[in-house]
Amino acid sequence: MGTLRITVDDSVRVEAESARVHLTVKGSSTVFGNAATRQAAEVRSLVGALAAIGIGESAIEVTGVKLDSRSGVLGKSQAEYLLTVSAAPDQLPGVLGVLADQSNLKLTELEWVFDSFEASIGATTAALAKARRKADAVAAAAGSSVAGIAMISDSWNLPAPRVAFAAEDAAVFRSAKASEPIDLGIEISATQELYVHLTVDFDLA
């Protein structure tokens, strides 16, 4: 007897799985790539401090190196290492406490990490249940019934929030006792809205 198209827009709050802290470390030597975690003294010191609180080397990534060679001699260049440190939400206060102890370090950004695909499964299933309820009601009002599904299409969007550290934040972090968790002034367990758009074509009997 034809098809009935139902569209549902829905949303659900999703908790972050982890966080990535973006930072820069000034070094006295130039080492490229993740080798810096073992060869650059300043980065190696940070790696050791993080290991003491359970953050392994695999959670630390060197994303770039900036060179400052005013002398024109590459071997005498100073380097600024761009790093990210990944941590579970409950590890984040301790990580920031360690980072605050490092005098040659600058915090730039906090990025929350979500598994949007896994989160979308439950959200899409809930949206489909709503679409079916609406289809049954509309079909009944038209003197018909739903016989099956001809097509389903879904899409989702989960913006990844980032928190930029202001210059005064570093001073607050460094006022904390060495390697102790600190009060960020922001939520540790970040949540974000995941938006789902679902379109279903129902076959009518």
Side-chain angles (χ1 to χ4, degrees), residues 21 46 49-50 53 55 85 91-103 105 107 165 169-170 172-184 188:
V21 183
L46 173 61
L50 289 170
I53 63 167
I55 304 297
V85 179
Q91 295 175 312
L92 187 56
V95 168
L96 291 174
V98 168
L99 298 180
D101 294 342
Q102 311 295 313
S103 59
L105 181 150
L107 299 171
F165 290 110
D169 289 337
V172 173
F173 296 160
R174 291 194 177 97
S175 69
K177 293 182 180 179
S179 301
E180 286 189 357
I182 56 180
D183 183 3
L184 297 174
I188 295 298

Side-chain angles (χ1 to χ4, degrees), residues 58 139 171:
S58 61

Side-chain angles (χ1 to χ4, degrees), residues 20-41:
R20 285 164 54 89
V21 183
H22 297 255
L23 55 111
T24 60
V25 176
K26 290 186 177 179
S28 56
S29 60
T30 304
V31 182
F32 293 97
N34 280 344
T37 59
R38 296 178 298 276
Q39 298 177 26

Side-chain angles (χ1 to χ4, degrees), residues 82-172:
L82 283 64
L83 286 81
T84 61
V85 179
S86 298
D90 62 343
Q91 295 175 312
L92 187 56
V95 168
L96 291 174
V98 168
L99 298 180
D101 294 342
Q102 311 295 313
S103 59
N104 60 337
L105 181 150
K106 179 183 177 183
L107 299 171
T108 57
E109 201 172 47
L110 172 64
E111 173 190 0
W112 295 109
V113 180
F114 299 86
D115 189 338
S116 61
F117 177 77
E118 287 298 324
S120 73
I121 294 174
T124 302
T125 301
L128 178 57
K130 291 181 178 180
R132 178 57 192 258
R133 290 202 307 271
K134 185 173 182 179
D136 286 337
V138 172
S144 184
S145 62
V146 173
I149 295 176
M151 183 277 295
I152 300 178
S153 173
D154 77 309
S155 61
W156 67 89
N157 178 38
L158 196 157
R162 295 191 175 207
V163 179
F165 290 110
E168 56 268 22
D169 289 337
V172 173

